[in-house]
Amino acid sequence: MKASHSIAILLGLATSAANAIDVEYGDWAVACDNTRRCEAAGFQRDSAGEEPVALHLVREAGPDQPASLTLMLDTGRGNVPDKVSITVGQVVLHDVIPEQEIDEDKAARLIPALLKGERAEVRAGARHWAVSLNGASAALLKIDDLQGRVGTPGALVRKGTKSESSVLPALPVPVLRAARLDRAGPSDQRLLAAILKALGKRDCSRDEQDPDSMERSLHRLSGGKVLVMIQCGHGSYQSASDVWIANAKPPYAPVSAVLPRLVDNHGNSVANGGFDDGVLSSYDKLQATAECGMATQWLWTAQGFQLLDATRATMCRGFPEGISLRTWTANLAPK
């Protein structure tokens, strides 16, 4: 590969990473991924007694792209009504189906109202929910800004007369090619023991009061390499593991796995980690009583681990799994 081509690829990846954001404004969370696709989720107020509810907005990058809107109710409690009404100021939408994308024309009426009101009232008979609009304007303006829509007719917040052609285009989705994995062997458990011995004091499980309770596993990679996962500690709902890459034959020479990240580099550590069919996963739960958190996946390639997918659901607000907003995406090349 020519040097100029390599530099162009690196600059492209740096630009994509710069576009991946995750911020919160009041009761609203915003995330944009490496393609400039953006999402926002607004929730009920963070106070006791408020029923879980959210409005989830998604907008692809590029000119003339509509914003889609979906009403989310806490499906973990069951008994979700078939249809509800949404009221913001003078705007009333009837027959809205929860968990289903709102009609584009109805969404176009509702979104401007979100910038002015204090709450979006959701009703189904005697049942009532309220989406807080604290932070909605800032959240949607952030999307406009990152997608280059400020001052255009299609802006969500600050509309203007600039041409739609000035809107930033969508960035290409990275394409990753999975490496062909070596087959597991009958001596893999002995191999694991030998690599753990080679790690010595770098084996984090040695620091635990009961190191024998820590899980350790070995997985075949490609090119005579193996992946070793060592659980460093665990609690009632969360575990942490270190990830190492070693040779399958002496000298084992284990080294920390390089795991590309968007934020908060934790070295070679993963939370509630797993490895399956070439994909390493991490899911960092934020609360013991809620499943929301930060999910990351890496694909094993000929160039090592590459970032495959990342989502964040950092504002739980009573939803069993939160509402995941995407901060990174990549496609798999055909095998």
Side-chain angles (χ1 to χ4, degrees):
M1 182 181 291
K2 294 181 179 180
S4 59
H5 191 197
S6 301
I7 293 172
I9 290 176
L10 291 172
L11 288 175
L13 292 174
T15 300
S16 296
N19 284 296
I21 66 162
D22 171 41
V23 292
E24 295 179 2
Y25 300 100
D27 298 310
W28 283 68
V30 177
C32 296
D33 70 9
N34 49 307
T35 71
R36 294 197 179 105
R37 175 185 185 270
C38 292
E39 299 177 80
F43 299 83
Q44 78 281 1
R45 293 180 303 167
D46 190 14
S47 58
E50 293 279 342
E51 286 289 331
V53 61
L55 282 170
H56 180 209
L57 181 144
V58 179
R59 196 171 201 184
E60 301 291 341
D64 301 311
Q65 289 289 343
S68 69
L69 199 62
T70 303
L71 176 71
M72 311 292 288
L73 295 177
D74 177 13
T75 55
R77 300 172 184 238
N79 193 26
V80 174
D82 294 331
K83 294 181 180 181
V84 301
S85 67
I86 304 177
T87 302
V88 183
Q90 301 301 311
V91 177
V92 182
L93 302 185
H94 296 287
D95 299 327
V96 174
I97 302 174
E99 323 298 333
Q100 183 172 308
E101 187 176 316
I102 296 173
D103 176 82
E104 187 176 322
D105 291 336
K106 289 183 176 180
R109 290 174 50 209
L110 185 63
I111 291 172
L114 302 179
L115 309 176
K116 304 172 184 177
E118 293 184 0
R119 65 184 63 84
E121 304 284 352
V122 180
R123 295 187 181 276
R127 300 182 68 183
H128 172 261
W129 301 259
V131 179
S132 169
L133 300 181
N134 174 31
S137 294
L140 301 191
L141 180 59
K142 185 67 174 180
I143 291 176
D144 281 346
D145 181 47
L146 190 135
Q147 294 187 333
R149 301 186 191 277
V150 175
T152 67
L156 299 173
V157 182
R158 294 181 184 172
K159 296 181 182 294
T161 57
K162 290 172 59 177
S163 171
E164 272 292 303
S165 62
S166 66
V167 173
L168 295 173
L171 293 171
V173 179
V175 178
L176 305 181
R177 186 175 297 276
R180 187 182 296 274
L181 303 181
D182 298 335
R183 292 185 178 181
S187 61
D188 281 0
Q189 285 302 312
R190 293 197 300 273
L191 176 58
L192 173 60
I195 293 174
L196 292 174
K197 184 176 180 180
L199 279 170
K201 294 181 179 180
R202 293 181 294 170
D203 180 350
C204 59
S205 66
R206 292 171 177 263
D207 299 329
E208 294 295 313
Q209 291 182 344
D210 183 15
D212 291 336
S213 69
M214 299 294 105
E215 295 182 5
R216 306 171 181 88
S217 61
L218 180 143
H219 309 271
R220 293 280 176 168
L221 298 174
S222 60
K225 300 290 185 181
V226 294
L227 171 74
V228 173
M229 296 183 64
I230 305 173
Q231 192 177 76
C232 301
H234 60 80
S236 58
Y237 69 99
Q238 189 107 298
S239 67
S241 300
D242 279 356
V243 183
W244 298 85
I245 296 175
N247 297 320
K249 296 180 180 179
Y252 301 112
V255 296
S256 298
V258 177
L259 305 178
R261 300 179 189 260
L262 298 176
V263 293
D264 301 330
N265 191 348
H266 297 294
N268 66 330
S269 179
V270 296
N272 301 307
F275 185 79
D276 182 52
D277 197 23
V279 176
L280 175 67
S281 61
S282 176
Y283 190 75
D284 191 354
K285 297 181 181 180
L286 298 179
Q287 298 179 14
T289 57
E291 294 296 320
C292 69
M294 298 172 287
T296 311
Q297 292 184 322
W298 299 268
L299 179 71
W300 177 254
T301 71
Q303 293 75 41
F305 279 113
Q306 300 294 324
L307 189 57
L308 177 62
D309 182 78
T311 61
R312 295 170 70 87
T314 56
M315 198 176 283
C316 306
R317 298 294 172 94
F319 282 83
E321 296 182 357
I323 295 179
S324 294
L325 307 180
R326 194 172 77 191
T327 55
W328 189 270
T329 189
N331 289 334
L332 289 175
K335 293 186 178 180

